[in-house]
Amino acid sequence: MNNRVSKRHCYSLSYLPICYCGNSKFCIVIESQTLLKYLGGNSYVGNTSMKKRFIYSILLFFLLVLSLSSCKNEVNSITVYSDDYPGLTSLAEVSWKEYKQEELSQWSNPYYRHRNHGCYVTVKDGNLIVSDTLPDPTFEIFRGTNGYFFGVSMHIYDGWVRYSPYRDYEFTDRQVLITNHHCKGFVKIDPENAFLLTFNEYALTPEEMETAGNLYRLSYVGGEDPKQWWKWEVIATFPEVPVTGYYDHETKQLYLMANNGFDRTSSLYSVTEAGTITRILEAKWLFDIQPFSMVKLGNSIFFGSQPGIYEYRLDAGEEHWYPMDYDTYYGS
């Protein structure tokens, strides 16, 4: 499903300017062949009367003015679906340069009136879904076949990830510590495979920071010993704090976003199943909006955040910003 309003296209057909604005209901499409037929067919070029020529010219002039005007005012938008925001069907694009920085900075204010709302993005049946959900970064859990993984991230105070098999009546004895690094989330592939994101909060030296971010592959293998039903291994490292990720089942790639607090930038990575990691994008704007969810839909990555949704088009390298108008749903 195409989730984006088509951009306008202006061209010439049969010596008549045509302006087509895709799905915009404000645009007028001038079909030159139909108009010529209505006014006397192709005889306009030769034997059409002066009266018909005059009427035709006036009509064409006004249609072109209306059409060009509507094309000029067209606003790019994305189609979204939401149960949490009744009536929300699309978000209009706003230039990042025109977006008021005070609107962005107010989200760091704990007393901001919309501080408890956000745009959490998911995909369902090829549609972009927006939920009013704020994830809890202090506790994460992944439930898999015959076992589950759970981790905590309590800033500098505590952080770890553990595995525990199901049917575990001796819960404490059968837990297996995977790492004492802070858990930054899980990305599910299927019930028997997932990715784990961790970060070493205690990394101090530049050398330690180079491998502070870790990406684990979790795989179910079964067997007799419940503690060994699952295996895990680090398949990639990076010098940033992982935030969120999305697994694309079509390309079998993981897309991962990570923050660099020193440079105040965020990076978008792609990771193959073999662990080959490639930085696709490094941007300050991504750090500024502090995304907490992301999905891939078509050739675009959509980042969900509190201020709104940011889109990065992988094929064109374009960035598009769609802020959320919370006043419409929760008042000003």
Side-chain angles (χ1 to χ4, degrees):
M1 176 180 177
N2 186 356
N3 66 309
R4 186 177 303 113
V5 172
S6 303
K7 288 191 174 182
R8 64 180 181 274
H9 303 279
C10 295
Y11 52 92
S12 178
L13 180 64
S14 299
Y15 306 102
L16 296 177
I18 306 297
C19 190
Y20 172 65
C21 290
N23 299 328
S24 175
K25 63 183 179 180
F26 298 106
C27 280
I28 297 174
V29 179
I30 306 171
E31 219 304 317
S32 59
Q33 297 292 348
T34 302
L35 193 55
L36 279 172
K37 183 177 180 181
Y38 176 77
L39 291 175
N42 294 329
S43 61
Y44 168 73
V45 180
N47 301 322
T48 304
S49 67
M50 291 297 295
K51 184 177 181 180
K52 280 189 175 182
R53 290 190 184 187
F54 178 76
I55 296 174
Y56 172 80
S57 300
I58 296 298
L59 178 61
L60 180 60
F61 173 77
F62 282 106
L63 288 175
L64 284 176
V65 169
L66 290 173
S67 181
L68 291 173
S69 175
S70 60
C71 283
K72 181 178 179 181
N73 295 328
E74 183 192 7
V75 177
N76 187 43
S77 64
I78 54 171
T79 300
V80 298
Y81 297 85
S82 178
D83 292 329
D84 295 339
Y85 299 108
L88 178 64
T89 58
S90 65
L91 289 174
E93 180 179 9
V94 173
S95 169
W96 183 252
K97 294 181 179 179
E98 297 177 359
Y99 187 67
K100 296 179 180 179
Q101 291 304 302
E102 56 266 27
E103 295 183 26
L104 187 63
S105 62
Q106 64 191 357
W107 286 98
S108 60
N109 181 357
Y111 302 104
Y112 177 52
R113 62 185 182 278
H114 298 315
R115 190 69 175 85
N116 296 322
H117 302 294
C119 294
Y120 191 95
V121 293
T122 54
V123 172
K124 183 179 180 180
D125 299 328
N127 299 315
L128 186 62
I129 310 299
V130 180
S131 303
D132 186 7
T133 302
L134 296 179
D136 181 4
T138 62
F139 181 81
E140 300 282 353
I141 187 169
F142 164 66
R143 298 175 177 85
T145 300
N146 288 337
Y148 59 94
F149 297 80
F150 55 100
V152 300
S153 179
M154 302 293 292
H155 304 290
I156 63 173
Y157 305 106
D158 196 12
W160 44 260
V161 181
R162 288 184 170 90
Y163 158 70
S164 182
Y166 287 147
R167 300 187 299 276
D168 187 359
Y169 299 102
E170 298 176 358
F171 184 77
T172 303
D173 294 338
R174 291 200 178 186
Q175 285 189 38
V176 179
L177 178 66
I178 297 177
T179 177
N180 58 4
H181 292 173
H182 286 53
C183 179
K184 295 300 180 181
F186 298 92
V187 181
K188 180 179 179 180
I189 301 176
D190 55 49
E192 298 187 352
N193 296 276
F195 292 102
L196 163 65
L197 311 175
T198 68
F199 183 73
N200 181 9
E201 293 278 354
Y202 310 106
L204 299 176
T205 67
E207 292 76 16
E208 291 175 333
M209 281 300 302
E210 283 298 316
T211 58
N214 290 295
L215 175 65
Y216 286 77
R217 178 67 183 259
L218 311 177
S219 304
Y220 178 75
V221 294
E224 296 183 1
D225 187 353
K227 291 185 178 181
Q228 298 180 7
W229 281 345
W230 283 78
K231 70 175 183 179
W232 46 86
E233 61 178 336
V234 176
I235 63 171
T237 60
F238 37 89
E240 295 141 321
V241 183
V243 177
T244 184
Y246 180 80
Y247 182 74
D248 183 9
H249 288 269
E250 292 185 5
T251 62
K252 298 186 182 303
Q253 286 192 107
L254 171 72
Y255 290 91
L256 170 68
M257 199 207 86
N259 286 340
N260 186 329
F262 296 103
D263 297 336
R264 298 187 62 82
T265 60
S266 295
S267 295
L268 171 64
Y269 292 100
S270 65
V271 187
T272 66
E273 289 192 327
T276 302
I277 185 168
T278 304
R279 180 185 277 119
I280 300 174
L281 171 71
E282 185 177 21
K284 184 180 183 302
W285 56 258
L286 199 54
F287 184 90
D288 290 340
I289 65 173
Q290 292 292 301
F292 45 71
S293 63
M294 62 182 288
V295 296
K296 180 176 182 288
L297 187 58
N299 286 319
S300 293
I301 301 290
F302 292 93
F303 299 91
S305 69
Q306 286 193 284
I309 297 175
Y310 219 109
E311 175 191 13
Y312 180 75
R313 298 180 185 175
L314 296 169
D315 50 355
E318 297 176 354
E319 306 163 15
H320 300 269
W321 171 234
Y322 309 95
M324 178 66 170
D325 183 13
Y326 291 99
D327 289 346
T328 300
Y329 304 95
Y330 299 108
S332 57

